[in-house]
């Protein structure tokens, strides 16, 4: 059976505690200054110093061509932070941390969906998985580096997209499919590494989507190919 409301079993206090601990761990990094390419991309970048309809349009449709990297949502978030508090380095790191906390919440939700049973051990397993994700040292750079928001922003849309696909496959309706596709495009516009998402979905389909019953978990090959064609397009 699917886990309809796991939070009534007391997961929320533990998840909140996890978020508080993560915040405490990363608070010292908020005092860090710009490093590496931050000057060129943030503090000395005139394109992020305006936040208007015209500047947003130019972010998504650059007049000089796309160049080496197309990450308009990253640039848009930089513009929003700059409009709120200027070029203060702390503001960009606060954005990273807030996005990272949202990633942890979504990761925990996805883990609960994939486990999909009403057993306390599965609730514990989801919390442990979220904690491992939250405190994994590979994430230190993306939270503590000003440009790391391109990864945390991608992660937000990436995990949310997978949750929507699961909802679609578990009978939630076609709307979840289109949300999944929209969020995938948003993830790509944040960081090109999101290109791996359709491959994750293919793996789910090949192995049988976790957490679903046997009839739901397996789809005909033709249906899967048609369903995923827009993602690869």
């Amino acid at each position: 059976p699917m886990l309809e409301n796991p939070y009534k079993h007391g997961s929320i206090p533990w998840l909140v505690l996890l978020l508080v601990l993560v915040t405490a761990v990363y608070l010292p990094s908020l005092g860090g200054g710009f490093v590496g390419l931050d000057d060129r991309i943030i503090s000395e970048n005139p394109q992020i110093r305006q936040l208007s309809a015209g500047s947003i349009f130019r972010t998504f449709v650059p007049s000089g061509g796309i160049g080496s990297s197309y990450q308009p949502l990253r640039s848009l978030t930089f513009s929003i932070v700059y409009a709120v508090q200027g070029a203060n380095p702390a503001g960009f790191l606060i954005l990273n941390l807030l996005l990272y906390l949202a990633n942890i919440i979504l990761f925990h939700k996805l883990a609960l969906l994939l486990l999909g049973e009403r057993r306390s051990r599965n609730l514990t397993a989801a919390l442990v998985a979220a904690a491992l994700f939250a405190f994994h040292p590979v994430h230190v750079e993306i939270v503590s580096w000003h440009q790391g928001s391109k990864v945390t922003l991608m992660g937000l849309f990436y995990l949310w997209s997978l949750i929507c696909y699961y909802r679609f496959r578990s009978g939630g309706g076609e709307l979840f499919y289109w949300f999944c596709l929209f969020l995938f495009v948003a993830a790509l516009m944040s960081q090109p590494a999101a290109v791996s998402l359709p491959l994750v979905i293919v793996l789910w389909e090949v192995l049988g989507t976790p957490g679903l019953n046997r009839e739901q978990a397996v789809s005909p090959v033709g249906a899967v190919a048609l369903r995923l064609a827009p993602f690869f397009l």
Side-chain angles (χ1 to χ4, degrees), residues 91-181:
F92 297 91
L93 294 176
I94 291 173
L95 170 67
N96 290 2
L97 180 56
L98 292 176
L99 288 172
Y100 189 56
L101 296 177
N103 274 247
I104 295 170
I105 294 171
L106 289 173
F107 185 91
H108 178 252
K109 179 64 176 179
L110 182 61
L112 284 172
L113 290 174
L114 296 182
L115 290 169
E117 295 184 1
R118 299 175 182 269
R119 298 177 182 175
S120 59
R121 68 181 183 184
N122 289 337
L123 299 176
T124 303
L127 282 168
V128 170
L132 291 173
F133 175 86
F135 291 112
H136 200 293
V138 76
H139 297 153
V140 171
E141 180 179 316
I142 66 171
V143 182
S144 304
W145 186 30
H146 303 78
Q147 295 182 52
S149 59
K150 64 183 179 182
V151 182
T152 50
L153 192 63
M154 178 203 74
L156 179 77
F157 295 125
Y158 194 107
L159 293 168
W160 197 358
S161 181
L162 288 176
I163 289 172
C164 285
Y165 190 82
Y166 182 92
R167 290 298 194 190
F168 162 69
R169 288 288 283 108
S170 61
E174 294 289 335
L175 189 59
F176 280 106
Y177 171 84
W178 294 110
F179 276 142
C180 173
L181 183 59

Side-chain angles (χ1 to χ4, degrees), residues 203-228:
L203 187 62
W204 278 8
E205 295 288 2
V206 170
L207 299 179
T209 305
L212 300 182
N213 60 46
R214 183 173 300 178
E215 291 75 17
Q216 290 177 314
V218 180
S219 293
V221 174
V224 173
L226 184 63
R227 186 185 303 149
L228 295 181

